[in-house]
Amino acid sequence: MKLLLVGEYREGRLLDTSAELFGFAAAIGGDASIFLVGSAEDVPAFSGALYLVDAGLYGEYNPEVHKQLLLKAVEEVNPDLIVFIHSSYGWDLAPRVAASLKVAQVSEVIGFADNAYEVGCCNAKMHRNVTPSTSKAVITIQAGAFPALQSEGTPLVKVLSTDVASTTEFLGYEPAEAKDVNLAKAEIVVSAGRGIGKKENIEVIRSLAKAFGGELGASRPVVDAGWIDHGHQVGSTGQTVAPKLYVACGISGSIQHLAGMKKSGFILAINKDKDAPIGEVADVLVVADVLQFVPALTAKLS
Amino acid sequence: MKILVCIKQVPDMESHFRPNGSATWFDESDLAFRMNEYDEYAVEEAVKLKEQLGGEPEITVLSIGPDRVIEAIKKALAIGCDRAVHINESAVASKEPWQIASIIAAYARSIQFDLVFTGMQSQDRGSAQVGVLVAELLGIPSTTTLVGFAYADGVVTATRELEGGVKGKVRLKTPALVTCQLGLNSPRYPTLPNIMKARKKEITTFQAGDLSSEPPLTGSSSFRHPEKKGSGVVLEGSVDELVEKVIVILKDKTAVLR
Ligand SMILES: Cc1cc2nc3c(=O)[nH]c(=O)nc-3n(C[C@H](O)[C@H](O)[C@H](O)COP(=O)(O)OP(=O)(O)OC[C@H]3O[C@@H](n4cnc5c(N)ncnc54)[C@H](O)[C@@H]3O)c2cc1C
C-alpha cells in the first residue's frame, strides 16, 4: 500500500501530531511519502519522499492553494491512501481533496481491519466500520488514536509550487486567551456537564469541588451556554488536565472532552445514562441523577 | 441577497441506540429526533445576518430526509428563516456524505446562493465533510469551524477555531460557504407568535432521486456498542448506598481522601 501523509505546521513549527501519522503508517504498513506546507527549517526525520511547500509563500491556511499543491503530490506518488489528522486543518482540507479526486473519505478513524476503517458515531457512543469503495481513499485519523512515532532517516525533499489563485485570505492567528484558572495544577478537578441542567446548578458542582478541596472544571456546552467562563473548560479546545481525581458530573464523554482528561489518575463519573461513553474511561461510573447524588456526596464529605 | 442554511435532524444523543437489521446504522424506531446542535448555530447566524442587513436577505432552510425532518424545518422557520426546501429521502440513513452533498449542490446550483451556512458536522455521523463537499461541488470558497462571523459588502470575515484555544482569521468573498462550530452565537428559542407565523411559510418538496443519483463512495457495517476497554465498575442503587460505596472506593483507590 502506498500512503501519502499530510502533516501540519503552526507558526513555522511542525506540529507534534505529525508523529501520529508515522505511527499510523507503521501500524498499517506500506510505503509512505509526506506532504507538508511548512518550512525547510523544521522538517521531520523521514526516510521517504517529502513534498515540501514553502508556507512563507502560500500561508499555513490557504485551502484552495493547499489542495492544488497536494493534488500535484498525489499525481507523483499515486497513493492508495491519503492520510490527514482529524484537526481543524485536516477536516478542512481532506474533503476538498476527496472531492477533486472523487474518492471516498472516512473521517476520524480510530482503527482498521482489512479494507475497513473503524470510526465512532453518535457522539462516541457507538462504533461502526466504513469501507471505501473507490480504489484510492482519503482518511483523517483521530488525534491520539495511533501512537506517536519518531521516524528516522533523511527525506528526499521535493519542492512544489503553484500559481493557482487563493480564494481565502488568511489574516493571522489569535493567541489563546489567558487562563484565569489553572486546572492543570489541581490535584482534584470536579467538572460540570450539560447534564446539570441549568446555570444555577453550577453551585451544586462548585460545592462538591470545595468539599474535595479541588478546582471546578466544565465541559464545552456549559461554557458555550455562558454558565461559566472558558477558563474552566476541559478538552481539546480547553485545558488538558491529569489530576489525581477527576469527577465528571453529567458529562457524556465525547472524544474532545476525553482528550482533556483521560490521563487523570482516577476518574469518577456520575451519569444517569449507563451507556454514556464516559464509562469507557471511568474507574467508577455512578448511575444516578447528578442533582441527587452530588449534594449527598458533598454532605458526606463536609 | 440569498442565503441557504442546511440542517440535519439527528436523534437525541442520550437515546439508547440499537443496530438496524443489517447493522449499517441505528434502528430508528423509538428514537426522538431534534435539530443537529451545530446546525442551530448555522440557523441563528443566518437570521442574525438578515437582521443586520435590515431584513433584506431571503433565507432558505434545507433538510434532507423523510417527513420527520419537517419538524426541524419548522423550528428553523420559527427562528426566522423565510422559506424551506424539504428534500424527501426515506433512505437518508444509508446516504453517505458525498451523496448528501451532491443532492444539496444539485438544488443549490439552480438558485445561486450568495452565502451558505451549515453546521461543521452532525452529532450522529460526525464526518465534518458535507459542508466543504457542497462548496467544492458548487465551485465556491469555503471555510470551516467558525466561532466568529462578520459580513460587510460581499466579504465574510471568519474566525476559525483551531486547537488549544488558538484561532485563525480568514477573509473570503461571496458567494461562499461557512461551517459553524458550537459557541458561534447564542441560538434563540422560537417564540409562540413566531411559531404561528412560521405555519404560513412555504415548504417546497423535492424528491432526492430527481436531484442526484450519485452512487455511494463508502459502505457502512458493524454498527455496535464499543467494546468495553476499561476495568471500571458501574454502580447502581439508592443515592445513600451509592455515596457510601463511592467513599469507600475513593479511600481505597486514591490518595485524596483519608
Ligand atoms: C472541534 C471540537 C472541539 C470541541 N472541544 C471540546 C472541549 O474542549 N471540551 C468539551 O467538553 N467538549 C468539546 N467539544 C464538544 C463535544 O463534542 C461535546 O459536544 C461535549 O463535550 C458534550 O458535553 P457534555 O458531555 O457536557 O454534554 P452532553 O453530551 O449533552 O452530555 C450530557 C450528559 O449528561 C447526562 N445527564 C443528563 N441529565 C442528567 C442528570 N440529571 N443526572 C446525571 N446525568 C445526566 C446525559 O446522560 C449525558 O451523558 C468539541 C467539539 C468539537 C467538534
Side-chain angles (χ1 to χ4, degrees):
Chain A
M1 171 133 75
K2 275 200 267 179
L3 306 172
L4 180 58
L5 313 175
V6 183
E8 293 174 42
Y9 283 73
R10 180 83 35 86
E11 296 181 278
R13 306 290 305 167
L14 179 72
L15 294 185
D16 290 343
T17 47
S18 307
E20 294 173 25
L21 294 169
F22 298 135
F24 172 81
I28 200 162
D31 278 344
S33 305
I34 188 162
F35 171 85
L36 299 168
V37 181
S39 148
E41 309 280 293
D42 189 17
V43 293
F46 182 64
S47 60
L50 188 156
Y51 294 87
L52 186 66
V53 176
D54 182 358
L57 292 176
Y58 307 104
E60 288 176 358
Y61 181 75
N62 193 350
E64 177 64 21
V65 171
H66 286 204
K67 174 184 83 181
Q68 296 299 345
L69 288 159
L70 180 50
L71 290 173
K72 286 192 176 189
V74 169
E75 216 164 89
E76 295 210 13
V77 176
N78 193 23
D80 303 294
L81 199 60
I82 306 167
V83 189
F84 296 81
I85 297 285
H86 194 71
S87 63
S88 58
Y89 180 79
W91 66 61
D92 187 279
L93 186 56
R96 303 174 197 269
V97 175
S100 297
L101 298 170
K102 208 178 162 188
V103 300
Q105 181 185 332
V106 188
S107 302
E108 210 169 1
V109 167
I110 54 178
F112 54 84
D114 303 322
N115 185 28
Y117 298 98
E118 182 176 359
V119 301
C121 52
C122 300
N123 207 9
K125 253 182 147 169
M126 307 297 292
H127 286 188
R128 64 184 181 122
N129 294 349
V130 181
T131 311
S133 45
T134 51
S135 60
K136 278 188 179 27
V138 168
I139 66 169
T140 62
I141 58 172
Q142 186 179 94
F146 295 92
L149 188 81
Q150 293 315 318
S151 146
E152 287 170 2
T154 311
L156 178 63
V157 177
K158 301 182 186 179
V159 174
L160 297 176
S161 62
T162 182
D163 47 19
V164 166
S166 304
T167 54
T168 48
E169 182 189 352
F170 186 63
L171 304 173
Y173 293 107
E174 283 179 7
E177 287 161 34
K179 290 164 187 136
D180 49 353
V181 238
N182 194 344
L183 297 177
K185 280 208 186 115
E187 293 213 328
I188 300 174
V189 176
V190 180
S191 290
R194 177 150 46 198
I196 66 166
K198 57 179 186 212
K199 185 173 184 173
E200 291 69 41
N201 293 334
I202 286 280
E203 295 315 316
V204 175
I205 312 304
R206 197 193 299 276
S207 302
L208 179 61
K210 275 210 188 113
F212 269 122
E215 292 281 355
L216 180 63
S219 70
R220 179 168 181 148
V222 171
V223 173
D224 286 342
W227 298 352
I228 199 166
D229 44 82
H230 181 259
H232 292 271
Q233 185 179 315
V234 172
S236 60
T237 48
Q239 299 194 50
T240 302
V241 301
K244 287 189 178 145
L245 172 65
Y246 187 88
V247 187
C249 308
I251 294 178
S252 62
S254 66
I255 303 302
Q256 296 87 0
H257 191 80
L258 298 189
M261 46 65 73
K262 65 181 172 201
K263 299 214 170 88
S264 302
F266 193 90
I267 299 171
L268 167 65
I270 300 105
N271 202 303
K272 65 175 186 190
D273 179 3
K274 210 175 158 177
D275 292 339
I278 191 82
E280 294 288 296
V281 298
D283 296 284
V284 175
L285 171 64
V286 174
V287 184
D289 185 327
V290 267
L291 299 176
Q292 288 173 7
F293 177 82
V294 171
L297 180 61
T298 309
K300 201 78 188 177
L301 289 172
S302 337
Chain B
M1 180 177 204
K2 287 186 216 150
I3 299 175
L4 177 67
V5 188
C6 303
I7 66 170
K8 180 177 185 181
Q9 204 192 31
V10 297
D12 187 328
M13 289 302 133
E14 291 177 22
S15 314
H16 178 71
F17 293 100
R18 280 171 293 125
N20 62 14
S22 46
T24 52
W25 197 231
F26 47 71
D27 176 353
E28 277 204 11
S29 49
D30 303 332
L31 293 180
F33 283 82
R34 45 163 292 174
M35 195 192 300
N36 177 38
E37 200 182 348
Y38 297 83
D39 303 343
E40 289 180 2
Y41 293 91
V43 171
E44 176 66 29
E45 203 58 36
V47 173
K48 272 174 64 186
L49 178 59
K50 181 180 167 94
E51 289 167 349
Q52 177 200 322
L53 298 178
E56 186 276 319
E58 186 191 52
I59 310 175
T60 303
V61 57
L62 174 155
S63 191
I64 305 175
D67 285 343
R68 63 167 163 76
V69 308
I70 292 172
E71 199 188 312
I73 286 177
K74 283 190 174 152
K75 182 173 179 192
L77 291 173
I79 288 170
C81 295
D82 298 298
R83 48 188 298 279
V85 167
H86 169 216
I87 300 179
N88 193 12
E89 173 57 76
S90 55
V92 70
S94 68
K95 297 279 177 223
E96 41 92 90
W98 171 255
Q99 293 174 295
I100 295 291
S102 299
I103 294 167
I104 297 172
Y107 162 74
R109 200 173 284 127
S110 64
I111 314 284
Q112 306 228 328
F113 290 97
D114 301 285
L115 251 179
V116 184
F117 291 92
T118 72
M120 74 155 286
Q121 63 180 23
S122 60
Q123 289 171 281
D124 56 355
R125 223 170 263 250
S127 77
Q129 294 178 31
V130 171
V132 179
L133 289 175
V134 169
E136 291 294 304
L137 287 166
L138 293 175
I140 62 174
S142 63
T143 190
T144 59
T145 335
L146 264 63
V147 288
F149 173 88
Y151 171 86
D153 306 323
V155 178
V156 170
T157 308
T159 307
R160 302 187 65 225
E161 183 180 58
L162 312 179
E163 287 66 34
V166 179
K167 293 172 185 146
K169 271 217 146 133
V170 179
R171 196 183 283 152
L172 54 169
K173 288 204 181 83
T174 59
L177 180 147
V178 294
T179 79
C180 303
Q181 165 65 317
L182 306 173
L184 169 62
N185 49 42
S186 307
R188 70 193 77 181
Y189 294 102
T191 60
L192 194 59
N194 286 341
I195 294 173
M196 303 307 283
K197 256 195 256 164
R199 290 193 179 158
K200 297 198 195 76
K201 293 181 180 173
E202 176 198 7
I203 304 180
T204 315
T205 304
F206 294 88
Q207 299 303 321
D210 294 340
L211 290 166
S212 164
S213 52
E214 282 290 322
L217 302 180
T218 59
S220 177
S221 60
S222 307
F223 180 87
R224 61 190 183 274
H225 284 280
E227 305 78 47
K228 280 259 178 282
K229 285 197 197 100
S231 53
V233 288
V234 177
L235 300 179
E236 288 176 277
S238 76
V239 167
D240 290 343
E241 283 167 22
L242 289 170
V243 168
E244 294 298 335
K245 281 188 194 161
V246 164
I247 292 203
V248 170
I249 296 175
L250 290 182
K251 280 189 176 152
D252 186 30
K253 297 278 165 68
T254 75
V256 298
L257 283 191
R258 277 146 296 142

